[in-house]
C-alpha cells in the first residue's frame, strides 16, 4: 500500500497559489484494508474513505471504462493492481495529473513540490509552465462533465489557453451529443463554480468556442451578434457586453445570485428578429420568461432564481429610476418586494450596477441609482405601518384600503426625503 498527494494541492502550490485542501490517492489497497486502519467509507460510486483523524478524503486507485452515454455511464475498476500511472491517466487535465508520495508531506500538510520528487507521467509541470489546459489521454471524451470543468478552469486560470487538441476533442464530444446527456445537478454545480471564479467570462467563451453553450444555454448563446442599443455602444454586441457584465460582477466581489442574475438578465434581447422589432424593446419581460426555462432545466436554487427574476424584469426601471418621482419609486420597491426582502433588493441593485458598468468606458463610473434607491427604501421603510393601519381602521378602512393608506404614507415619506 502506498499513498500519494494528488491533484489540486500540487497544482496550486506549483502556481504559487494558496492550498485549501488535500486529495489523497491510495495504491495497492483494498476497501477491507482501509476499514481495518480506521478509515470511514463514504464513496457511493467508487471507493473513497475519510481519514480517521483529519477527515480528509482518500480514494483507492481506479480505472474507468465507458459503458453508456452521459456522466454516469462508467464501469469503475478499483483494485490493488491498479497502478499510479493508470489512475492518473483517467484524470481530466495534465495539470491535475501530478502526484507526490505522502511521506514527503509534513504533519502540518506542508510539502516541497520539487520536480524530482513528483510523479508527473503526462507533463503537467510542462503545461503549468506553458499555461496550457490539456487533456491527459483520449479517455477525456468519456466524461462530458470535463467540458464544463475545462471551461471552469479557464475562468480560474484566466491566463491559460485551452490546448488546440483539447478544444478539438471537446468539439467532437459536443457533435457526438455527449453534452446533451449531462445531468442538471452537475451542470449547475460547474456553472455556479465557474461564475464564482475570477474571470467568469472565460468559462462561457470556452463553452461557446466548443459548441457546448448552444446546447446547454442556447438563450445565452443567441446574444452574440445582437447589437446593443445606440446609447450603449452599438459597436459592441450583446454577447460581448454580457461577458463584460460578468467580469464586472467578479471585480465587485458579487455573490452567486448576483452573478447568475447578471448572466440571464438580458436573455430577451436574443429572441426577436430586428426586422420585426428592435431586440432591446420590451426585452425585460421576455428575459424574465426565458430565465424560468433556464432555471427549470438546470434546477437552479430558489434564492438564485428569485433574484434573477427581479433583475430581469426590473433592471430597465432601476436604470431609469433617477427620472422617477416618489409614487413611481414606491411602486418599484413594491414590485421588487423590497420592504419584505431589503437584502435581496440591495443585491438586485448591485446586479444592475454591474450591468451599467459592464460597458466600454463605463467600468469605473459611479452608479447613483443604487445609492438613491437604497435611500428611498430607507425613507419608505421608516413609515410606522402599524400606526398608519390603526388610524386607517379607526376611520373605517378595511382590507385593501388599509394597504392603500400605507402605500400613500410611504409615498409622502419618499417625497420628503427627496426634497
Amino acid at each position: 500500500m502506498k499513498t500519494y498527494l494528488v491533484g489540486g494541492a500540487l497544482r496550486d502550490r506549483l502556481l504559487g497559489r494558496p492550498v485549501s485542501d488535500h486529495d489523497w490517492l491510495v495504491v495497492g489497497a483494498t476497501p477491507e484494508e482501509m476499514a481495518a486502519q480506521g478509515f470511514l467509507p463514504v464513496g457511493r460510486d467508487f471507493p473513497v474513505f475519510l481519514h480517521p483523524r483529519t477527515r480528509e478524503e482518500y480514494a483507492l486507485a481506479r480505472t474507468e471504462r465507458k459503458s453508456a452515454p452521459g456522466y454516469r455511464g462508467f464501469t469503475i475498476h478499483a483494485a490493488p493492481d491498479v497502478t499510479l500511472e493508470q489512475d492518473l491517466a483517467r484524470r481530466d487535465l495534465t495539470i491535475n495529473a501530478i502526484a507526490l508520495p505522502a511521506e514527503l508531506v509534513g504533519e502540518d500538510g506542508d510539502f516541497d513540490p520539487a520536480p524530482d520528487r513528483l510523479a508527473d507521467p503526462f507533463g503537467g509541470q510542462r503545461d503549468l509552465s506553458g499555461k496550457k489546459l490539456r487533456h491527459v489521454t483520449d479517455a477525456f471524451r468519456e466524461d462530458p462533465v470535463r467540458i464544463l470543468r475545462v471551461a471552469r478552469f479557464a475562468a480560474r486560470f484566466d491566463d491559460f489557453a485551452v490546448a488546440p487538441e483539447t478544444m478539438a476533442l471537446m468539439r467532437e464530444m459536443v457533435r457526438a451529443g455527449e453534452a446533451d446527456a449531462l445531468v442538471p445537478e452537475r451542470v449547475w454545480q460547474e456553472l455556479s463554480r465557474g461564475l464564482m471564479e475570477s474571470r467568469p467570462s472565460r468559462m462561457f467563451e470556452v463553452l461557446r468556442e466548443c459548441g457546448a453553450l448552444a446546447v446547454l444555454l442556447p438563450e445565452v448563446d443567441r446574444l452574440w451578434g445582437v447589437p446593443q442599443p445606440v446609447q450603449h455602444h452599438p459597436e459592441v454586441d450583446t454577447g460581448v457586453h454580457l461577458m463584460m457584465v460578468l467580469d464586472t460582477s467578479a471585480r465587485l466581489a458579487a455573490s452567486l445570485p448576483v452573478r447568475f442574475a447578471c448572466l440571464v438578465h438580458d436573455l430577451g434581447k436574443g429572441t426577436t428578429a430586428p426586422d420585426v422589432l428592435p431586440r432591446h424593446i420590451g426585452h425585460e419581460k421576455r428575459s424574465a420568461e426565458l430565465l424560468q426555462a433556464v432555471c427549470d432545466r438546470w434546477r437552479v436554487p430558489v434564492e438564485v432564481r428569485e433574484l434573477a427574476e427581479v433583475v430581469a424584469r426590473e433592471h430597465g426601471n432601476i436604470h431609469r429610476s433617477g427620472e422617477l418621482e416618489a409614487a413611481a419609486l414606491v411602486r418599484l420597491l413594491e414590485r421588487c418586494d423590497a420592504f419584505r426582502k431589503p437584502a435581496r433588493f440591495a443585491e438586485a441593485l448591485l446586479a444592475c450596477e454591474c450591468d451599467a458598468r459592464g460597458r466600454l468606458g463605463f467600468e469605473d463610473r459611479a452608479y447613483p441609482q443604487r445609492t438613491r434607491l437604497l435611500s428611498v427604501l430607507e425613507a419608505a421603510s421608516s413609515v410606522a405601518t402599524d400606526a398608519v393601519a390603526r388610524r386607517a381602521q379607526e376611520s373605517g378602512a378595511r382590507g385593501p384600503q388599509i394597504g392603500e393608506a400605507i402605500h400613500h404614507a410611504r409615498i409622502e415619506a419618499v417625497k420628503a426625503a427627496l426634497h
Side-chain angles (χ1 to χ4, degrees):
M1 181 190 303
K2 190 168 180 61
T3 303
Y4 296 87
L5 178 65
V6 293
L10 292 168
R11 177 199 66 222
D12 291 343
R13 174 62 66 83
L14 288 166
L15 288 172
R17 290 172 167 246
V19 174
S20 57
D21 52 23
H22 300 82
D23 292 319
W24 303 93
L25 172 69
V26 182
V27 176
T30 65
E32 294 75 19
E33 288 172 326
M34 297 293 287
Q37 294 188 32
F39 285 82
L40 178 67
V42 294
R44 184 177 61 181
D45 298 322
F46 48 83
V48 178
F49 300 81
L50 295 182
H51 190 281
R53 181 175 53 82
T54 67
R55 296 302 181 188
E56 290 182 323
E57 288 191 354
Y58 286 64
L60 294 189
R62 67 184 190 272
T63 59
E64 298 170 347
R65 183 174 57 83
K66 190 73 167 174
S67 57
Y71 162 63
R72 299 189 184 280
F74 291 95
T75 299
I76 306 296
H77 175 67
D81 62 347
V82 177
T83 67
L84 172 64
E85 186 166 335
Q86 286 175 321
D87 183 274
L88 295 178
R90 68 168 178 80
R91 295 174 184 264
D92 51 6
L93 298 172
T94 60
I95 62 173
N96 296 327
I98 306 172
L100 176 71
E103 61 267 21
L104 300 179
V105 181
E107 284 288 329
D108 58 356
D110 196 21
F111 57 91
D112 176 14
D116 60 335
R117 297 182 166 199
L118 299 174
D120 183 17
F122 301 103
Q125 294 171 88
R126 173 203 63 208
D127 285 336
L128 285 171
S129 298
K131 298 185 183 301
K132 292 289 185 184
L133 299 175
R134 191 190 314 274
H135 65 283
V136 178
T137 69
D138 199 54
F140 180 98
R141 70 169 67 246
E142 297 179 349
D143 185 357
V145 173
R146 290 174 172 177
I147 297 172
L148 285 160
R149 282 176 56 82
V150 170
R152 173 165 64 85
F153 280 122
R156 178 183 300 179
F157 307 119
D158 60 7
D159 56 346
F160 278 55
V162 179
E165 62 270 30
T166 300
M167 180 59 70
L169 180 55
M170 290 162 62
R171 290 190 183 117
E172 287 179 21
M173 293 168 67
V174 172
R175 287 196 296 269
E178 281 289 334
D180 301 89
L182 287 164
V183 298
E185 293 81 2
R186 290 307 305 272
V187 172
W188 173 248
Q189 181 183 62
E190 295 298 331
L191 285 177
S192 60
R193 288 178 176 176
L195 283 168
M196 294 306 295
E197 298 292 0
S198 59
R199 193 175 159 199
S201 65
R202 290 214 61 219
M203 178 175 201
F204 298 95
E205 289 165 0
V206 169
L207 291 176
R208 182 167 179 258
E209 187 176 350
C210 73
L213 190 62
V215 176
L216 303 175
L217 290 168
E219 303 88 348
V220 174
D221 188 65
R222 285 195 293 262
L223 296 177
W224 272 266
V226 177
Q228 283 285 85
V230 173
Q231 67 271 30
H232 295 154
H233 296 277
E235 70 274 11
V236 175
D237 76 22
T238 302
V240 175
H241 162 62
L242 175 60
M243 296 299 97
M244 295 176 69
V245 173
L246 282 179
D247 287 345
T248 299
S249 72
R251 184 160 55 93
L252 298 181
S255 66
L256 174 61
V258 170
R259 298 191 195 199
F260 181 74
C262 288
L263 174 68
V264 298
H265 77 286
D266 262 353
L267 296 181
K269 289 183 178 178
T271 60
T272 305
D275 57 342
V276 177
L277 181 72
R279 299 188 188 209
H280 60 278
I281 295 178
H283 75 277
E284 292 91 349
K285 181 175 182 294
R286 295 194 302 275
S287 296
E289 293 168 351
L290 287 168
L291 78 86
Q292 296 302 332
V294 171
C295 292
D296 289 343
R297 185 185 314 141
W298 303 124
R299 299 180 190 171
V300 176
V302 172
E303 66 276 10
V304 178
R305 175 193 299 237
E306 288 181 346
L307 177 67
E309 197 275 333
V310 170
V311 174
R313 189 186 69 238
E314 299 293 347
H315 69 273
N317 294 320
I318 290 172
H319 289 331
R320 294 186 291 272
S321 60
E323 308 164 11
L324 303 180
E325 296 185 351
L329 289 169
V330 172
R331 288 195 297 272
L332 173 61
L333 296 177
E334 290 170 343
R335 290 196 305 273
C336 294
D337 203 11
F339 297 109
R340 288 197 318 123
K341 298 181 178 180
R344 190 184 72 180
F345 182 64
E347 291 213 304
L349 295 179
L350 178 57
C352 291
E353 179 173 350
C354 295
D355 180 39
R357 293 172 62 177
R359 309 178 195 279
L360 292 174
F362 285 68
E363 295 90 344
D364 297 315
R365 289 201 183 183
Y367 188 66
Q369 294 94 323
R370 185 181 175 197
T371 303
R372 183 173 190 253
L373 284 171
L374 288 174
S375 297
V376 166
L377 176 59
E378 183 178 9
S381 298
S382 69
V383 172
T385 55
D386 289 346
V388 173
R390 186 169 57 253
R391 288 195 299 271
Q393 287 176 321
E394 289 170 353
S395 64
R398 294 292 182 270
Q401 296 172 325
I402 296 174
E404 279 296 311
I406 292 172
H407 172 77
H408 287 297
R410 285 171 169 164
I411 292 175
E412 292 304 313
V414 171
K415 283 181 180 178
L418 293 177
H419 297 95

